[in-house]
Amino acid sequence: MQRALGTTARADRFYREQVLDRLNDRMREFVGRQEMFFLATADRHGECDSSFRAGPPGFLRVLDDRTLVYPEYRGNGVHASLGNIEENPHLGIMLIDFLRDRIGLHVNGRARIVPDAEMRAARPELPADPVPGRRARVWVEVTVEEAYIHCAKHIPHLRKVPAQDRAQAWGTDDVKRKGGDFFGAAAEAGSRPPYTRPPREGADGPPWAGEGAAGWRRVAEQALAEARRRDAGSRPAPYGGWFR
């Protein structure tokens, strides 16, 4: 696509100057004060899911420059993200600061699910959250493979409302507090058949699915080697950046 759209030189400049295989000091500080992030996962067939995670500042915790962990709180019981991670460890995390710096950070990597007791035995410094609805059921440990900026130009600048106007009901089963039937789906349930997932093309997934993470890495490395071979002559200009 870079070749087709004529952006190879710009992309190479971005890769060289902005894409890291770790979290630098500014990235770690940025992660440590965020209260939410967006999570992208896919199952073994490559079918995608996006989700939202929130918690107190630092709930997405930096253990070192290549490792993040976050707790999974009580939710609707579907566990779409966790189910995908069990099948395919690759995930993407998108952090956006709408309030102060108006900047974003992408973190891509591999994840594993860790029971709470195991995580706390390995990391006794992890705090115990006193809010019942924010007690970790399990933890997701992320090994960072890529970290890079999301530019500010299209990020809206928002303002946080007073605390009394944004009370959160962590872990509640109160339907109203959870948003009720906002989109009217439950009201229509009696007039439509139950949801069933559409049949997947290639029930066994892509050719490399059975190889797990090694297969995904093999295919990615082949694609990267081919791209480098094609674009070996590129000499892009310098590029500045927020997280440098």
Side-chain angles (χ1 to χ4, degrees):
M1 289 306 300
Q2 293 167 17
R3 288 170 62 85
L5 297 176
T7 66
T8 301
R10 252 191 315 143
D12 284 350
R13 181 178 65 201
F14 185 82
Y15 294 145
R16 187 179 67 246
E17 297 194 355
Q18 290 296 329
V19 180
L20 307 181
D21 63 354
R22 58 183 176 81
L23 301 171
N24 66 17
D25 289 343
R26 295 196 69 179
M27 290 174 176
R28 294 197 293 271
E29 186 275 330
F30 181 83
V31 171
R33 56 184 170 80
Q34 301 309 308
E35 299 180 52
M36 64 179 183
F37 65 85
F38 302 94
L39 176 66
T41 60
D43 67 13
R44 67 182 181 276
H45 304 286
E47 294 192 12
C48 300
D49 182 78
S50 61
S51 193
F52 174 76
R53 295 292 184 272
F59 84 107
L60 177 61
R61 192 172 185 87
V62 179
L63 299 184
D64 55 53
D65 64 354
R66 297 179 189 271
T67 313
L68 297 168
V69 296
Y70 67 87
E72 281 284 348
Y73 302 141
R74 187 176 188 277
N76 60 14
V78 174
H79 299 308
S81 300
L82 292 179
N84 284 348
I85 291 169
E86 279 286 283
E87 294 188 357
N88 172 5
H90 298 271
L91 56 65
I93 289 174
M94 178 71 196
L95 300 115
I96 301 181
D97 185 340
F98 296 98
L99 306 175
R100 193 179 95 175
D101 296 310
R102 207 169 57 83
I103 202 76
L105 175 65
H106 294 262
V107 179
N108 298 325
R110 291 176 293 109
R112 70 184 187 104
I113 300 168
V114 184
D116 183 59
E118 179 183 330
M119 179 61 74
R120 292 188 182 281
R123 300 283 182 173
E125 72 275 13
L126 288 174
D129 198 314
V131 178
R134 293 205 306 253
R135 290 174 184 165
R137 313 301 285 269
V138 296
W139 294 77
V140 176
E141 181 181 272
V142 180
T143 299
V144 176
E145 294 181 333
E146 296 178 337
Y148 55 93
I149 193 172
H150 186 94
C151 69
K153 62 185 177 183
H154 298 146
I155 297 176
H157 198 174
L158 307 181
R159 181 178 298 171
K160 185 176 287 190
V161 301
Q164 65 268 21
D165 296 333
R166 57 183 175 90
Q168 293 164 302
W170 300 99
T172 185
D173 279 325
D174 184 314
V175 174
K176 186 175 181 180
R177 298 296 298 278
K178 291 166 67 175
D181 188 25
F182 185 88
F183 292 106
E188 299 169 352
S191 61
R192 55 178 164 78
Y195 170 77
T196 56
R197 297 193 68 174
R200 297 172 175 84
E201 294 183 9
D204 294 328
W208 58 86
E211 303 175 47
W216 289 92
R217 182 177 292 278
R218 175 177 59 79
V219 172
E221 288 175 348
Q222 288 173 351
L224 182 60
E226 175 64 16
R228 286 172 173 164
R229 184 188 65 77
R230 290 196 306 262
D231 301 322
S234 176
R235 291 291 184 271
Y239 183 95
W242 195 93
F243 286 111
R244 297 187 68 188

